[in-house]
Amino acid sequence: MRILVTGASGTLGRAAVPALVRAGHQVRALSRRERDGQDATWVRGDLASGDGVKQAVRGCEALVHLATHGRKGPGAERVDVAGARTLVSAAREAGVAHLLYVTVVGADRAPSGLLRCKFEAERVVRESGLGYTVLRATHFHQWLDKLLREYAASPVLPVDRSVPWQPVHTGEVATHLTGLLAGGPRQQAVEFGGPQVLRTDELVDVWLEGRHLRRLCLSVRYPGRLLAAQRAGALITEATPRGRISWHDYLYPPPPVPSDDFASEHTASPTSPANQPEGDPDRHVYGGDEGYQRQTRR
């Protein structure tokens, strides 16, 4: 299937494009800048201005719409809402059979701030006349990791114990959306979340340990209507299936398992670590960066 992916260079896009390619699809990836890729064909287009969008959609059988401004404000209106209208118009003209739009769990229950724009974009898709599926996902592991890194620039982390999170791995969301695409338009919204719900303090404690950091955690109460809705559980889902990779699993990934070819290649050599006696002063571990560790504040 010929598929256009918007937001292909974003947090979810970087997982979705390879997943779709592995599934055997011909992927066209939309970006505002010139990019090169081995598997996907990158094309230029801007949803906010509409430049290049019709050309990018032409000839595609399905669209995976991941592009988002990511912050509330006029930019979200231009990219998330007006951009959805631009994409829908181009899809109708090109005769696209399936538009899959990825949004956020809670967009229908807590339409405030950025989620209001997400819900409005959902409405544009629902009323498009196209075959569609809306996939609402909970917060990504990768997004939360980046957010906490930004907060950790300060020696004090503000923590609201009353706010729950249900993080999910982008790789699992990508796999799920690939399956939804293969199943054809659902003409409805479906939800997909992570395997567990954590309070903010639990989330932060695991993150600090996993990133080998020490910070003073200050108990606060986050303000705002969106956080109030999240506190009430509006951004949590009980839908199944759900992801299997927990927050802890994401922060403590298992070591890669070498393939049989790797093992035979490296144990065949007399200089391989596997063939070196214990206590040998010349014994070493392969890896160009072995022993290097980035300095971090503690």
Side-chain angles (χ1 to χ4, degrees):
M1 188 186 304
R2 293 184 299 277
I3 301 171
L4 174 71
V5 180
T6 72
S9 60
T11 303
L12 179 56
R14 291 193 294 271
V17 168
L20 292 167
V21 170
R22 286 194 299 270
H25 299 295
Q26 299 175 35
V27 178
R28 190 180 295 173
L30 187 71
S31 174
R32 288 177 298 165
R33 292 178 290 275
E34 292 283 356
R35 295 179 185 271
D36 294 319
Q38 295 181 341
D39 298 320
T41 300
W42 288 86
V43 294
R44 289 185 64 183
D46 188 334
L47 286 173
S49 67
D51 292 342
V53 174
K54 285 187 178 182
Q55 295 87 333
V57 172
R58 192 174 297 134
C60 290
E61 301 162 83
L63 303 181
V64 175
H65 183 28
L66 311 179
T68 180
H69 184 261
R71 294 181 177 86
K72 65 180 180 179
E77 293 282 353
R78 290 194 303 271
V79 176
D80 290 67
V81 183
R85 294 193 185 100
T86 298
L87 192 65
V88 161
S89 176
R92 281 199 295 251
E93 185 176 319
V96 170
H98 190 180
L99 170 56
L100 190 151
Y101 175 43
V102 179
T103 177
V104 182
V105 164
D108 58 328
R109 299 187 289 270
S112 177
L114 179 62
L115 264 61
R116 181 187 62 79
C117 292
K118 290 288 189 184
F119 190 55
E120 178 65 17
E122 285 188 19
R123 186 187 64 79
V124 171
V125 171
R126 289 195 307 270
E127 297 177 359
S128 66
L130 298 167
Y132 77 90
T133 303
V134 171
L135 171 59
R136 297 178 183 140
T138 54
H139 295 92
F140 303 142
H141 290 318
Q142 291 82 351
W143 179 83
L144 280 168
D145 190 9
K146 180 181 178 182
L147 181 68
L148 286 170
R149 285 180 185 274
E150 293 174 358
Y151 275 110
S154 167
V156 179
L157 282 176
V159 174
D160 185 342
R161 289 172 53 88
S162 66
V163 173
W165 304 84
Q166 190 180 5
V168 67
H169 197 281
T170 56
E172 293 186 302
V173 179
T175 298
H176 191 60
L177 72 83
T178 300
L180 289 173
L181 203 63
R186 293 284 191 95
Q187 304 301 124
Q188 64 178 351
V190 297
E191 296 185 345
F192 187 74
Q196 62 181 158
V197 177
L198 298 169
R199 299 190 313 265
T200 304
D201 59 315
E202 295 172 323
L203 188 98
V204 170
D205 286 346
V206 175
W207 183 81
L208 287 172
E209 183 179 351
R211 294 295 179 242
H212 310 291
L213 297 172
R214 293 180 182 176
R215 293 291 185 272
L216 176 64
C217 293
L218 179 65
S219 181
V220 299
R221 188 172 181 84
Y222 298 151
R225 287 182 298 174
L226 181 57
L227 270 300
Q230 186 172 350
R231 187 176 293 113
L235 276 60
I236 302 299
T237 181
E238 296 182 356
T240 56
R242 62 184 62 181
R244 296 184 178 182
I245 300 173
S246 70
W247 180 237
H248 184 278
D249 293 338
Y250 167 72
L251 293 169
Y252 295 89
V257 178
S259 65
D260 292 340
D261 291 340
F262 179 92
S264 62
E265 175 186 346
H266 286 74
T267 55
S269 169
T271 60
S272 166
N275 290 333
Q276 305 243 357
E278 294 292 335
D280 187 329
D282 294 326
R283 184 173 183 176
H284 62 278
V285 179
Y286 294 147
D289 292 331
E290 195 68 35
Y292 173 79
Q293 184 174 0
R294 184 183 299 275
Q295 296 297 316
T296 58
R297 293 172 57 187
R298 290 179 179 269

